[in-house]
């Protein structure tokens, strides 16, 4: 099967999109940043089910051989994507940019934004650019980067982009570790017990669902991870729709964790089923 066709300029992308629009075909966009892996491909498969045409964007990544990345990605996307949009960095990020997206709400939840304050502004601005360039009906984002998913979803609503945001579930390895490009940086020893992160997260979620006190559950989870050589940045329960603190939630909750194992920083999250604040106090 032939590799997916690659487009590296805006004019060619817009021409292809215009032709699809004339044929009344629906378009899905899957934005990606780092090296393409099975987690990304699972999102592309969702896009394939949701729309007639699929565009996968490969954004330039510092320190990465982009020519090789584009070639490998094009092969992996054979039969899945109609276009691989791989523009040069100068197309997507100008030397001087005077216009960006200003954020609050889920972008200031005190989770990932505590450790990379400018990330979500850049991610939302990039998403807005891609929506303007590709004019998708649907954009598929993964739940692994859950805070970014909510930031982009809220930006899409607030700025009235005619794009439906579809979320894809986290793809996991056999032991439960979330599939990520970062996993390849784990040492052999760290790789052997990295799944403890998900196992602890799942155990905490089950405890909360059973009505155990939240403070006790989170403290115990933090202790388990620390004992397993994780340096924990946060372990916290938040409202699944707004990322507000659990105490302010009136609906479903989600449990979030970020921790370093050696030099590799891992993030994960799980839903907390059948949770009640009343029973968790």
């Amino acid at each position: 099967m032939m590799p997916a066709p690659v487009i590296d300029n805006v004019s060619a992308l817009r021409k292809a999109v215009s032709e699809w629009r004339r044929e009344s075909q629906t378009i899905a966009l899957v934005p990606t940043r780092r090296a393409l892996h099975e987690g990304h491909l699972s999102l592309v498969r969702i896009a394939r089910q949701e729309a007639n045409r699929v565009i996968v964007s490969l954004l330039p990544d510092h320190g990465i051989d982009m020519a090789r990345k584009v070639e490998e990605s094009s092969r992996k996307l054979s039969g899945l994507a109609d276009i691989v949009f791989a523009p040069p960095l100068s197309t997507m990020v100008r030397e001087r940019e005077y216009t960006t997206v200003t954020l609050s709400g889920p972008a200031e939840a005190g989770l990932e934004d505590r450790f990379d304050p400018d990330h979500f502004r850049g991610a939302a601005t990039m998403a807005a650019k891609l929506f303007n360039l590709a004019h998708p009906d649907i954009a598929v984002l993964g739940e692994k980067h859950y805070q970014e998913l909510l930031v982009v979803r809220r930006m899409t609503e607030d700025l009235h982009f005619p794009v439906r945001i579809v979320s894809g579930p986290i793809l996991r390895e056999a032991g439960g570790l979330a599939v990520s490009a970062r996993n390849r940086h784990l040492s052999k020893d760290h790789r052997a017990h990295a799944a403890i992160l998900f196992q602890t997260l799942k155990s905490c979620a089950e405890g909360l669902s059973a009505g155990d006190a939240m403070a006790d559950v989170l403290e115990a989870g933090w202790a388990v991870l620390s004992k397993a050589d994780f340096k924990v940045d946060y372990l916290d329960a938040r409202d699944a729709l707004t990322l507000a603190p659990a105490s302010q939630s009136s609906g479903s909750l989600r449990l979030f964790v970020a921790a370093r194992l050696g030099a590799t920083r891992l993030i994960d999250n799980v839903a907390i089923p059948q949770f009640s604040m009343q029973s968790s106090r």
Side-chain angles (χ1 to χ4, degrees):
M1 194 175 291
M2 293 291 291
V6 177
I7 285 177
D8 64 2
N9 66 88
V10 171
S11 296
L13 175 65
R14 283 181 165 162
K15 180 180 178 182
V17 168
S18 294
E19 291 175 355
W20 294 341
R21 287 294 178 204
R22 281 197 295 270
E23 297 168 358
S24 299
Q25 300 198 34
T26 54
I27 300 169
L29 170 70
V30 183
T32 71
R33 280 195 305 271
R34 295 182 174 87
L36 209 68
H37 53 66
E38 282 300 320
H40 295 123
L41 296 181
S42 70
L43 301 180
V44 179
R45 293 186 182 99
I46 292 173
R48 188 84 267 172
Q49 296 172 349
E50 293 279 345
N52 304 123
R53 299 288 185 173
V54 175
I55 300 170
V56 176
S57 62
L58 301 179
L59 297 183
D61 198 358
H62 295 290
I64 297 293
D65 182 345
M66 279 304 295
R68 181 178 178 182
K69 175 181 175 180
V70 170
E71 182 181 354
E72 291 177 351
S73 299
S74 177
R75 289 200 304 270
K76 290 179 181 178
L77 291 167
S78 176
L80 290 174
D82 295 283
I83 285 177
V84 177
F85 179 51
L89 184 62
S90 58
T91 296
M92 302 305 295
V93 181
R94 296 185 178 183
E95 186 174 347
R96 286 188 177 183
E97 286 199 321
Y98 299 101
T99 306
T100 60
V101 177
T102 301
L103 305 165
S104 58
E108 296 180 340
L111 295 171
E112 284 301 289
D113 50 294
R114 284 169 47 204
F115 301 91
D116 190 354
D118 293 327
H119 171 75
F120 292 118
R121 181 180 62 183
T125 301
M126 192 62 67
K129 291 181 180 183
L130 287 170
F131 292 172
N132 186 42
L133 294 174
H135 296 284
D137 300 285
I138 298 160
V140 184
L141 285 76
E143 291 183 355
K144 179 172 176 291
H145 297 280
Y146 196 88
Q147 188 174 6
E148 183 171 319
L149 166 67
L150 293 193
V151 167
V152 173
R153 177 172 285 158
R154 185 55 192 259
M155 179 209 70
T156 302
E157 294 171 356
D158 288 348
L159 299 185
H160 298 283
F161 280 109
V163 180
R164 179 165 61 94
I165 305 298
V166 175
S167 63
I170 298 172
L171 186 68
R172 300 187 181 278
E173 299 180 0
L177 179 66
V179 173
S180 171
R182 298 179 182 183
N183 294 353
R184 70 181 187 273
H185 299 304
L186 291 166
S187 68
K188 184 177 180 181
D189 290 342
H190 285 156
R191 186 63 186 256
H193 73 272
I196 292 173
L197 189 71
F198 170 67
Q199 293 163 7
T200 303
L201 199 62
K202 185 178 178 184
S203 177
C204 288
E206 290 171 349
L208 293 172
S209 294
D212 296 342
M214 182 173 293
D216 294 342
V217 168
L218 297 180
E219 183 179 352
W222 195 295
V224 168
L225 293 174
S226 297
K227 189 175 180 179
D229 295 329
F230 286 91
K231 289 182 170 45
V232 183
D233 284 340
Y234 58 78
L235 173 62
D236 203 1
R238 298 297 186 92
D239 183 273
L241 297 179
T242 66
L243 299 185
S247 60
Q248 300 174 20
S249 174
S250 59
S252 59
L253 290 186
R254 206 164 183 98
L255 196 59
F256 297 87
V257 67
R260 297 180 186 275
L261 191 55
T264 306
R265 188 171 185 273
L266 303 171
I267 64 172
D268 206 344
N269 65 88
V270 296
I272 306 175
Q274 302 175 343
F275 178 80
S276 168
M277 278 301 299
Q278 291 282 334
S279 62
S280 187
R281 287 172 179 164

